[in-house]
Amino acid sequence: SGMASPLEEVHKDSPGMPQLKHLMMADDDPAPTTSGADDINPDDPESFFNEDIPLESSALGDAVDNLLLNWSQIISNTGTKYPSVPPSIDHVKEVAAIVVQGFRDACADLNAEFAKVALEWELENVSAAEDERVAALKGSISRQVTLLARAQAALDLRTEDYFCSSLDGPSGTSAASSGPSQQRTE
């Protein structure tokens, strides 16, 4: 056999070299895979993480991409190092207004897409949406009952403290033993 190149000689024991060489020599077109959209199970979120299957284009995906693009614009425009002559304050304000307006619009678009997708899901899954709504209402009612009980306890405590302190005379004697707080039975 012939003489090995210096690069091959250095990496001859590396287990990744055949794969690396294959990747370097391979076409840019991805190899067709045997897995496809048939492998996606809508009930299993993990099945969506298959890197070989590109996601379908959707308005929600476009809105997320637009938000990320606008976020990266904000980050790239907030540099602290400038060329030898820094930009004028008016230029900075103008760029900031444009970038922030674009980010705000992207946030509003993403919010609208989330609302649209949620509404579509509710229309397609009426019974599940009703079950979620009922569960949310029961949770809200439970929280309100708890908050009302806490508010009533706080009012009772403060009312009792007020009447007890107001019944104490300037001489320091306590008339609280016959006061309204002792007569309350709840």
Side-chain angles (χ1 to χ4, degrees), residues 61-72:
D62 293 344
V64 169
D65 290 343
N66 191 27
L67 179 71
L68 291 174
L69 177 70
N70 280 283
W71 176 251
S72 66

Side-chain angles (χ1 to χ4, degrees), residues 6 15 21 27 34 36 47-48 51 54 56 60 64 71 94 99 103 109 115 120 144 153 165 179:
K21 186 175 181 180
D27 292 336
T34 57
S47 69
F48 288 101
E51 296 292 328
E56 306 178 3
L60 181 59
V64 169
W71 176 251
E94 182 181 344
V99 169
F103 184 71
D109 291 345
E120 287 173 356
Q144 292 298 319
S165 66

Side-chain angles (χ1 to χ4, degrees), residues 102-113:
F103 184 71
R104 190 187 71 129
D105 291 346
C107 288
D109 291 345
L110 182 60
N111 188 34
E113 284 303 317

Side-chain angles (χ1 to χ4, degrees), residues 139-186:
S140 294
I141 290 170
S142 174
R143 282 189 299 277
Q144 292 298 319
V145 167
T146 302
L147 290 174
L148 285 172
R150 286 182 186 168
Q152 184 63 47
L155 284 173
D156 289 346
L157 181 64
R158 291 193 181 184
T159 301
E160 185 174 324
D161 287 346
Y162 173 77
F163 283 118
C164 286
S165 66
S166 67
L167 292 177
D168 289 340
S171 63
T173 60
S174 177
S177 60
S178 62
S181 64
Q182 296 294 328
Q183 297 171 355
R184 186 179 313 136
T185 58
E186 292 184 43

Side-chain angles (χ1 to χ4, degrees), residues 14 23 35 54 57 71 75 78 91 95-97 100 122 124 136 153 159 173 175:
S14 174
L23 288 174
S35 64
S57 179
W71 176 251
I75 298 301
T78 55
H91 176 73
V95 169
V100 169
E122 285 182 12
E124 292 173 2
T159 301
T173 60

